[in-house]
Amino acid sequence: MAHRLQIRLLTWDVKDTLLKLRHPLGEEYATKARAHGLEVEPSALEQGFRQAYRVQSHSFPNYGLSHGLTSRQWWLDVVLQTFHLAGVQDAQAVAPIAEQLYEDFSSPCTWQVLDGAEDTLRECRTRGLRLAVISNFDRRLEGILGALGLREHFEFVLTSEAAGWPKPDPRIFQEALRLAHTEPVVTAHVGDNYLCDYQGPRAVGMHSFLVVDPQALDPVVRDSVPKEHILPSLAHLLPALDCLEGSTPGL
């Protein structure tokens, strides 16, 4: 007779799964620039950031740790390049803005807890589940979670900066399993990114769920993910776990 699957550990992505920015990034950058006497269009900063972040992530993956950078310097460079792409050529004028933005994005005032996140975490703990974080974030994350009242829910917070590998690298998930002294078959990961939060954990034998509007997914991705693994909101998580645990392991 097959044993009933029981999930014991839930690991969590953070950004856009549990937390989001209070204001669009372009607006945050434009507001800080204005305070320093620079007028820049939020849309130009938003577009510049996307390009700068993509290039920086490609050239210096995981905050450039293997290239001798600190995560702080990595982010300061992203901000400088963002303003440059938005038409601000004076790097000296942007430098104090970059420093201010780095500090502001360390503050809980810049972030807000997504609807249902705290209730879901509390319900998971009431159910006896162990919780932990696996996030492609830097060293600021633990303080942000603490200031927003979420840190107490997690046994540990594993960032890509601390681990040395970003999701979807299997080693960050394996490190989390090592820290938790838990097998992948009784572990599930929850997040909003198909590659990092759905495929990544499955590559090491974990279960996973996507918290995303199904209509926002690429049709090819949507068709490749079982409907019961897609959560339109966090309120769908525990019913999805019930469904998973009601299935036969290995099927």
Side-chain angles (χ1 to χ4, degrees), residues 82-94:
T82 294
F83 277 87
H84 179 80
L85 291 167
V88 181
Q89 309 302 319
D90 187 352
Q92 195 168 4
V94 175

Side-chain angles (χ1 to χ4, degrees), residues 129-203:
L129 287 160
R130 301 168 61 198
L131 307 179
V133 164
I134 305 176
S135 175
N136 286 355
F137 215 105
D138 59 59
R139 64 186 64 196
R140 296 174 291 179
L141 181 58
E142 191 126 17
I144 293 167
L145 290 172
L148 290 169
L150 297 186
R151 177 62 183 87
E152 65 187 41
H153 295 294
F154 304 110
E155 291 187 15
F156 60 84
V157 173
L158 181 62
T159 64
S160 59
E161 180 175 13
W165 315 287
K167 297 178 298 184
D169 192 305
R171 289 172 291 184
I172 192 170
F173 295 103
Q174 291 162 345
E175 176 64 7
L177 293 169
R178 186 191 69 79
L179 290 171
H181 305 288
T182 304
E183 294 299 316
V185 71
V186 294
T187 306
H189 182 74
V190 183
D192 72 305
N193 184 280
Y194 174 67
L195 290 175
C196 292
D197 298 313
Y198 188 76
Q199 285 196 321
R202 287 182 175 267

Side-chain angles (χ1 to χ4, degrees), residues 12-24 104-121 133-154 157 159 167 190-193 197 211 234:
W12 293 80
D13 173 53
V14 173
K15 187 177 181 294
D16 297 324
T17 299
L18 297 172
L19 305 180
K20 70 174 183 178
L21 291 172
R22 288 188 182 274
H23 306 289
D104 287 349
F105 276 72
S106 309
S107 165
C109 298
T110 303
W111 302 90
Q112 70 181 55
V113 179
L114 284 165
D115 289 344
E118 194 155 15
D119 287 344
T120 300
L121 293 173
V133 164
I134 305 176
S135 175
N136 286 355
F137 215 105
D138 59 59
R139 64 186 64 196
R140 296 174 291 179
L141 181 58
E142 191 126 17
I144 293 167
L145 290 172
L148 290 169
L150 297 186
R151 177 62 183 87
E152 65 187 41
H153 295 294
F154 304 110
V157 173
T159 64
K167 297 178 298 184
V190 183
D192 72 305
N193 184 280
D197 298 313
V211 185
L234 288 175

Side-chain angles (χ1 to χ4, degrees), residues 17 189-199 202 208-214 217 221-222 224-234 236-237:
T17 299
H189 182 74
V190 183
D192 72 305
N193 184 280
Y194 174 67
L195 290 175
C196 292
D197 298 313
Y198 188 76
Q199 285 196 321
R202 287 182 175 267
S208 56
F209 296 100
L210 271 178
V211 185
V212 64
D213 177 359
L217 281 172
V221 171
R222 186 171 63 241
S224 72
V225 179
K227 285 188 292 186
E228 59 269 25
H229 296 169
I230 299 175
L231 313 178
S233 73
L234 288 175
H236 292 78
L237 175 61

